[in-house]
Amino acid sequence: MQTAIPYMQFRGGSSKGVYFLASDLPEDEALRNKVLLAVMGGGDARQIDGLGGAHPLTSKIGIICPSQREGIDVDYLFVQAVVGEDRVDTTPNCGNILAGVGPFAIESGLVKAREGETRVQIYMVNSGNRCELQVMTSQGEISYQGNARIDGVPGSASPVICNYMNLAGSACGALLPTGNILDIVDGISVTCIDNGMPVVLLRAEDFDITGYESSDELNANTVLKEKLESIRIQLGPMMNLGEVTDKVVPKMSFIAAAKEGGHICTRTFIPHVCHTAVGVLGAVSVATACVMPGSVAEGIAVIPEGNPKNISVEHPSGEFSVNLEIAGSSESPEVIKAGLLRTARLISKGETYIPSSIWNGNK
Ligand code: NQM
């Protein structure tokens, strides 16, 4: 009466997801999405009947297959199961879930572990971008334990080093999708940018908030959320994302001056709930806006000298450092590589079950 599907569950960075081999899921996309929703717990906001964690950061899925592309080991499709709604969104990437893709590829035998460190080349199907992961391995196995710490995750673990190449225009087709470094919507100046993730930067002071509030406090501010959603809906088509009412992009990132020794401080709505930290590619897009002359971050962000630039993005539970390698001039910078640190851990593996009335297992 139930269909068993092989899966693994990883914490990837500061998110948690369910990972599948593409060959274990239906080929038909509509059926695949129904199956994924059933795995996570359907449209129920508590996801009580599935593996989802009832929060956008724990309602994530990675689908992986061996790659046919030159120099690439695996293709990775990210799927966001929208909490409380019967739908998924595959528009954006997720850099946190990506940190678990290397370990998943090694655990599933798609990539052979080397002595010391294994490099996994990943093609991001959502956007057509590339990322190289360095995963610590020893005696044919992944070394999950280690001393690397990332904010938003308790304890320490072995590092997963992520190097993203040429992310500009990942979902919107251009780094500055509206064609402008500044736009004005509802009387508010914003910078729309896509360097791996479509993000709208807004100055916290323009909304009568400090930008240092807790995510719980911002989540309780319904007036603020309404203003934000009005701006987001108007910007969707301007950012080449079309109608975004049902999409999880663009993310909306309030910025304020850093106050813990970093370079910029953020509070990011993803897009209806305030992130307890910040998304990986969300942070890359914010950091990129900081180095672009004329953005809303000018005068707020402190930009370190030199190249690459290590930009520390403060967030509600600490900070996220993004190492940007920049080409071009300071008037017209081009970020060609973004390096960052994550950790990941295998939490469970086995079979997850869904009612066979949804899928009987035939591909
Ligand atoms: O921006 C949350 C997360 C993310 C996405 C979100 C992410 C990224 O923290 O690459 O990692 O913005 O929905 O996992």
Side-chain angles (χ1 to χ4, degrees), residues 211-249:
Y212 308 120
E213 291 83 358
S214 68
S215 28
D216 283 349
E217 199 177 326
L218 292 175
N219 279 328
N221 190 337
T222 44
V223 175
L224 178 77
K225 290 206 283 192
E226 270 167 32
K227 280 192 202 163
L228 209 53
E229 189 62 357
S230 159
I231 295 173
R232 197 179 81 83
I233 300 295
Q234 292 176 65
L235 283 171
M238 291 167 68
M239 293 177 74
N240 301 325
L241 291 166
E243 165 61 48
V244 293
T245 312
D246 285 347
K247 291 189 177 158
V248 297
V249 283

Short mmCIF file of all heavy atoms in Angstrom, two decimals, residues 211-249:
data_model
loop_
_atom_site.label_atom_id
_atom_site.label_comp_id
_atom_site.label_asym_id
_atom_site.label_seq_id
_atom_site.Cartn_x
_atom_site.Cartn_y
_atom_site.Cartn_z
N GLY A 211 17.30 47.23 11.70
CA GLY A 211 18.05 46.22 10.95
C GLY A 211 18.83 45.30 11.88
O GLY A 211 19.55 44.41 11.42
N TYR A 212 18.68 45.50 13.19
CA TYR A 212 19.37 44.64 14.17
C TYR A 212 18.35 43.82 14.98
O TYR A 212 18.71 43.15 15.93
CB TYR A 212 20.24 45.48 15.12
CG TYR A 212 21.17 46.43 14.39
CD1 TYR A 212 21.10 47.81 14.59
CD2 TYR A 212 22.11 45.94 13.47
CE1 TYR A 212 21.93 48.67 13.89
CE2 TYR A 212 22.95 46.80 12.78
CZ TYR A 212 22.85 48.17 12.99
OH TYR A 212 23.67 49.01 12.29
N GLU A 213 17.08 43.89 14.61
CA GLU A 213 16.02 43.16 15.32
C GLU A 213 16.25 41.64 15.19
O GLU A 213 16.93 41.19 14.26
CB GLU A 213 14.64 43.48 14.72
CG GLU A 213 14.13 44.89 14.95
CD GLU A 213 14.69 45.92 13.95
OE1 GLU A 213 15.51 45.55 13.09
OE2 GLU A 213 14.28 47.09 14.05
N SER A 214 15.65 40.88 16.07
CA SER A 214 15.71 39.41 15.94
C SER A 214 14.76 38.99 14.81
O SER A 214 13.84 39.74 14.45
CB SER A 214 15.26 38.74 17.25
OG SER A 214 13.88 38.97 17.44
N SER A 215 14.96 37.79 14.28
CA SER A 215 14.05 37.35 13.21
C SER A 215 12.64 37.19 13.75
O SER A 215 11.67 37.50 13.05
CB SER A 215 14.54 36.09 12.50
OG SER A 215 15.30 35.29 13.29
N ASP A 216 12.48 36.75 15.00
CA ASP A 216 11.13 36.61 15.58
C ASP A 216 10.42 37.96 15.62
O ASP A 216 9.23 38.06 15.29
CB ASP A 216 11.21 36.06 17.02
CG ASP A 216 11.49 34.56 17.02
OD1 ASP A 216 11.40 33.95 15.93
OD2 ASP A 216 11.81 34.02 18.09
N GLU A 217 11.16 38.99 16.03
CA GLU A 217 10.56 40.33 16.10
C GLU A 217 10.12 40.80 14.71
O GLU A 217 9.00 41.31 14.54
CB GLU A 217 11.60 41.30 16.67
CG GLU A 217 11.01 42.57 17.23
CD GLU A 217 12.09 43.47 17.84
OE1 GLU A 217 13.07 42.94 18.39
OE2 GLU A 217 11.95 44.69 17.72
N LEU A 218 10.94 40.58 13.72
CA LEU A 218 10.57 41.01 12.36
C LEU A 218 9.43 40.15 11.82
O LEU A 218 8.54 40.67 11.14
CB LEU A 218 11.79 40.93 11.43
CG LEU A 218 12.90 41.94 11.74
CD1 LEU A 218 14.11 41.71 10.86
CD2 LEU A 218 12.40 43.38 11.57
N ASN A 219 9.42 38.86 12.14
CA ASN A 219 8.33 38.00 11.68
C ASN A 219 6.98 38.42 12.25
O ASN A 219 5.94 38.19 11.65
CB ASN A 219 8.61 36.54 12.06
CG ASN A 219 9.57 35.89 11.08
OD1 ASN A 219 9.58 36.22 9.90
ND2 ASN A 219 10.39 34.98 11.57
N ALA A 220 7.01 39.06 13.42
CA ALA A 220 5.76 39.49 14.07
C ALA A 220 5.28 40.84 13.52
O ALA A 220 4.16 41.27 13.83
CB ALA A 220 5.98 39.58 15.57
N ASN A 221 6.10 41.50 12.71
CA ASN A 221 5.77 42.85 12.22
C ASN A 221 4.98 42.75 10.91
O ASN A 221 5.53 42.78 9.80
CB ASN A 221 7.08 43.62 12.02
CG ASN A 221 6.85 45.09 11.74
OD1 ASN A 221 5.77 45.49 11.29
ND2 ASN A 221 7.86 45.90 11.97
N THR A 222 3.65 42.62 11.04
CA THR A 222 2.82 42.37 9.85
C THR A 222 2.77 43.58 8.92
O THR A 222 2.71 43.41 7.70
CB THR A 222 1.39 41.98 10.25
OG1 THR A 222 0.97 42.86 11.28
CG2 THR A 222 1.30 40.56 10.75
N VAL A 223 2.85 44.78 9.47
CA VAL A 223 2.82 45.99 8.62
C VAL A 223 4.06 46.00 7.73
O VAL A 223 3.99 46.23 6.52
CB VAL A 223 2.75 47.26 9.51
CG1 VAL A 223 2.83 48.52 8.65
CG2 VAL A 223 1.47 47.26 10.34
N LEU A 224 5.20 45.69 8.33
CA LEU A 224 6.46 45.64 7.58
C LEU A 224 6.37 44.59 6.48
O LEU A 224 6.75 44.83 5.33
CB LEU A 224 7.60 45.29 8.55
CG LEU A 224 8.98 45.14 7.92
CD1 LEU A 224 9.58 46.50 7.61
CD2 LEU A 224 9.93 44.37 8.85
N LYS A 225 5.83 43.42 6.81
CA LYS A 225 5.77 42.33 5.84
C LYS A 225 4.87 42.68 4.66
O LYS A 225 5.15 42.31 3.52
CB LYS A 225 5.32 41.03 6.52
CG LYS A 225 6.39 40.50 7.47
CD LYS A 225 6.32 39.02 7.69
CE LYS A 225 5.24 38.60 8.60
NZ LYS A 225 5.36 37.18 9.00
N GLU A 226 3.79 43.43 4.94
CA GLU A 226 2.90 43.85 3.85
C GLU A 226 3.62 44.81 2.90
O GLU A 226 3.52 44.70 1.68
CB GLU A 226 1.65 44.53 4.42
CG GLU A 226 0.54 43.54 4.68
CD GLU A 226 -0.57 44.13 5.53
OE1 GLU A 226 -0.83 45.34 5.42
OE2 GLU A 226 -1.18 43.35 6.30
N LYS A 227 4.35 45.77 3.48
CA LYS A 227 5.10 46.73 2.64
C LYS A 227 6.11 45.99 1.77
O LYS A 227 6.28 46.28 0.59
CB LYS A 227 5.89 47.71 3.54
CG LYS A 227 5.09 48.84 4.12
CD LYS A 227 6.06 49.85 4.73
CE LYS A 227 5.38 50.70 5.77
NZ LYS A 227 6.31 51.40 6.65
N LEU A 228 6.77 45.02 2.40
CA LEU A 228 7.82 44.26 1.71
C LEU A 228 7.23 43.47 0.54
O LEU A 228 7.79 43.43 -0.55
CB LEU A 228 8.44 43.31 2.74
CG LEU A 228 9.88 42.90 2.58
CD1 LEU A 228 10.77 44.10 2.44
CD2 LEU A 228 10.30 42.06 3.78
N GLU A 229 6.08 42.84 0.79
CA GLU A 229 5.47 42.01 -0.24
C GLU A 229 5.00 42.87 -1.42
O GLU A 229 5.11 42.47 -2.58
CB GLU A 229 4.33 41.17 0.35
CG GLU A 229 3.75 40.12 -0.57
CD GLU A 229 4.73 39.02 -1.01
OE1 GLU A 229 5.92 39.06 -0.65
OE2 GLU A 229 4.28 38.13 -1.75
N SER A 230 4.50 44.09 -1.12
CA SER A 230 4.06 44.98 -2.20
C SER A 230 5.25 45.30 -3.11
O SER A 230 5.16 45.24 -4.34
CB SER A 230 3.46 46.26 -1.61
OG SER A 230 3.47 47.29 -2.57
N ILE A 231 6.39 45.59 -2.52
CA ILE A 231 7.60 45.92 -3.31
C ILE A 231 8.05 44.68 -4.09
O ILE A 231 8.38 44.75 -5.28
CB ILE A 231 8.72 46.44 -2.37
CG1 ILE A 231 8.30 47.76 -1.74
CG2 ILE A 231 10.04 46.57 -3.11
CD1 ILE A 231 9.23 48.30 -0.69
N ARG A 232 8.03 43.54 -3.44
CA ARG A 232 8.51 42.30 -4.06
C ARG A 232 7.68 41.94 -5.30
O ARG A 232 8.23 41.62 -6.36
CB ARG A 232 8.42 41.16 -3.03
CG ARG A 232 9.23 39.94 -3.37
CD ARG A 232 9.10 38.90 -2.28
NE ARG A 232 7.87 38.14 -2.42
CZ ARG A 232 7.70 37.10 -3.22
NH1 ARG A 232 8.71 36.65 -3.94
NH2 ARG A 232 6.54 36.48 -3.30
N ILE A 233 6.36 42.05 -5.16
CA ILE A 233 5.47 41.67 -6.27
C ILE A 233 5.69 42.60 -7.48
O ILE A 233 5.70 42.17 -8.62
CB ILE A 233 3.98 41.74 -5.82
CG1 ILE A 233 3.72 40.77 -4.67
CG2 ILE A 233 3.02 41.50 -6.98
CD1 ILE A 233 3.87 39.32 -4.99
N GLN A 234 5.90 43.89 -7.20
CA GLN A 234 6.14 44.84 -8.30
C GLN A 234 7.49 44.56 -8.98
O GLN A 234 7.65 44.74 -10.18
CB GLN A 234 6.12 46.28 -7.77
CG GLN A 234 4.73 46.72 -7.31
CD GLN A 234 4.77 48.10 -6.69
OE1 GLN A 234 5.05 49.09 -7.36
NE2 GLN A 234 4.49 48.19 -5.40
N LEU A 235 8.47 44.14 -8.18
CA LEU A 235 9.81 43.94 -8.74
C LEU A 235 9.95 42.63 -9.52
O LEU A 235 10.83 42.52 -10.38
CB LEU A 235 10.86 43.99 -7.62
CG LEU A 235 11.19 45.41 -7.13
CD1 LEU A 235 12.08 45.35 -5.89
CD2 LEU A 235 11.88 46.22 -8.23
N GLY A 236 9.10 41.64 -9.24
CA GLY A 236 9.21 40.33 -9.93
C GLY A 236 9.38 40.48 -11.43
O GLY A 236 10.40 40.09 -12.00
N PRO A 237 8.38 41.08 -12.13
CA PRO A 237 8.51 41.21 -13.59
C PRO A 237 9.69 42.09 -13.99
O PRO A 237 10.36 41.82 -14.99
CB PRO A 237 7.18 41.88 -14.01
CG PRO A 237 6.25 41.65 -12.85
CD PRO A 237 7.08 41.53 -11.62
N MET A 238 9.99 43.14 -13.20
CA MET A 238 11.13 44.02 -13.53
C MET A 238 12.45 43.26 -13.44
O MET A 238 13.43 43.62 -14.08
CB MET A 238 11.16 45.22 -12.57
CG MET A 238 10.01 46.19 -12.77
SD MET A 238 9.89 47.37 -11.39
CE MET A 238 11.36 48.34 -11.60
N MET A 239 12.48 42.18 -12.62
CA MET A 239 13.71 41.40 -12.46
C MET A 239 13.72 40.17 -13.38
O MET A 239 14.53 39.25 -13.19
CB MET A 239 13.85 40.94 -11.00
CG MET A 239 14.09 42.08 -10.03
SD MET A 239 14.18 41.53 -8.29
CE MET A 239 15.79 40.74 -8.25
N ASN A 240 12.80 40.16 -14.35
CA ASN A 240 12.69 39.03 -15.30
C ASN A 240 12.28 37.72 -14.61
O ASN A 240 12.56 36.64 -15.13
CB ASN A 240 14.01 38.76 -16.05
CG ASN A 240 14.45 39.97 -16.82
OD1 ASN A 240 13.61 40.70 -17.35
ND2 ASN A 240 15.75 40.20 -16.87
N LEU A 241 11.61 37.84 -13.48
CA LEU A 241 11.16 36.62 -12.78
C LEU A 241 9.68 36.38 -13.01
O LEU A 241 9.13 35.38 -12.54
CB LEU A 241 11.43 36.75 -11.27
CG LEU A 241 12.91 36.73 -10.87
CD1 LEU A 241 13.10 37.19 -9.43
CD2 LEU A 241 13.50 35.33 -11.06
N GLY A 242 9.04 37.30 -13.74
CA GLY A 242 7.60 37.17 -13.99
C GLY A 242 6.81 37.43 -12.72
O GLY A 242 7.24 38.13 -11.82
N GLU A 243 5.64 36.81 -12.69
CA GLU A 243 4.74 36.94 -11.54
C GLU A 243 5.34 36.13 -10.37
O GLU A 243 5.52 34.93 -10.49
CB GLU A 243 3.37 36.40 -11.99
CG GLU A 243 2.38 36.10 -10.93
CD GLU A 243 1.99 37.32 -10.14
OE1 GLU A 243 1.69 38.37 -10.74
OE2 GLU A 243 1.99 37.21 -8.89
N VAL A 244 5.66 36.80 -9.26
CA VAL A 244 6.39 36.09 -8.20
C VAL A 244 5.54 35.79 -6.95
O VAL A 244 6.08 35.32 -5.96
CB VAL A 244 7.68 36.85 -7.78
CG1 VAL A 244 8.69 36.84 -8.90
CG2 VAL A 244 7.37 38.25 -7.28
N THR A 245 4.23 36.03 -7.06
CA THR A 245 3.37 35.77 -5.89
C THR A 245 3.62 34.36 -5.34
O THR A 245 3.72 34.17 -4.14
CB THR A 245 1.88 35.91 -6.29
OG1 THR A 245 1.75 37.13 -6.99
CG2 THR A 245 0.96 35.91 -5.09
N ASP A 246 3.73 33.38 -6.26
CA ASP A 246 3.89 31.98 -5.84
C ASP A 246 5.34 31.52 -5.85
O ASP A 246 5.61 30.32 -5.77
CB ASP A 246 3.07 31.07 -6.77
CG ASP A 246 1.59 31.16 -6.45
OD1 ASP A 246 1.25 31.72 -5.40
OD2 ASP A 246 0.79 30.68 -7.28
N LYS A 247 6.28 32.45 -6.01
CA LYS A 247 7.68 32.03 -6.07
C LYS A 247 8.40 32.41 -4.79
O LYS A 247 7.99 33.35 -4.09
CB LYS A 247 8.38 32.68 -7.26
CG LYS A 247 7.89 32.16 -8.60
CD LYS A 247 8.74 32.65 -9.74
CE LYS A 247 8.22 32.01 -11.04
NZ LYS A 247 8.62 32.79 -12.20
N VAL A 248 9.50 31.71 -4.51
CA VAL A 248 10.25 32.01 -3.28
C VAL A 248 11.38 33.01 -3.54
O VAL A 248 12.22 33.23 -2.67
CB VAL A 248 10.79 30.72 -2.61
CG1 VAL A 248 9.64 29.83 -2.17
CG2 VAL A 248 11.74 29.95 -3.51
N VAL A 249 11.40 33.59 -4.73
CA VAL A 249 12.33 34.68 -5.05
C VAL A 249 11.53 35.86 -5.61
O VAL A 249 10.43 35.65 -6.12
CB VAL A 249 13.38 34.23 -6.10
CG1 VAL A 249 14.43 33.36 -5.46
CG2 VAL A 249 12.72 33.54 -7.29
#
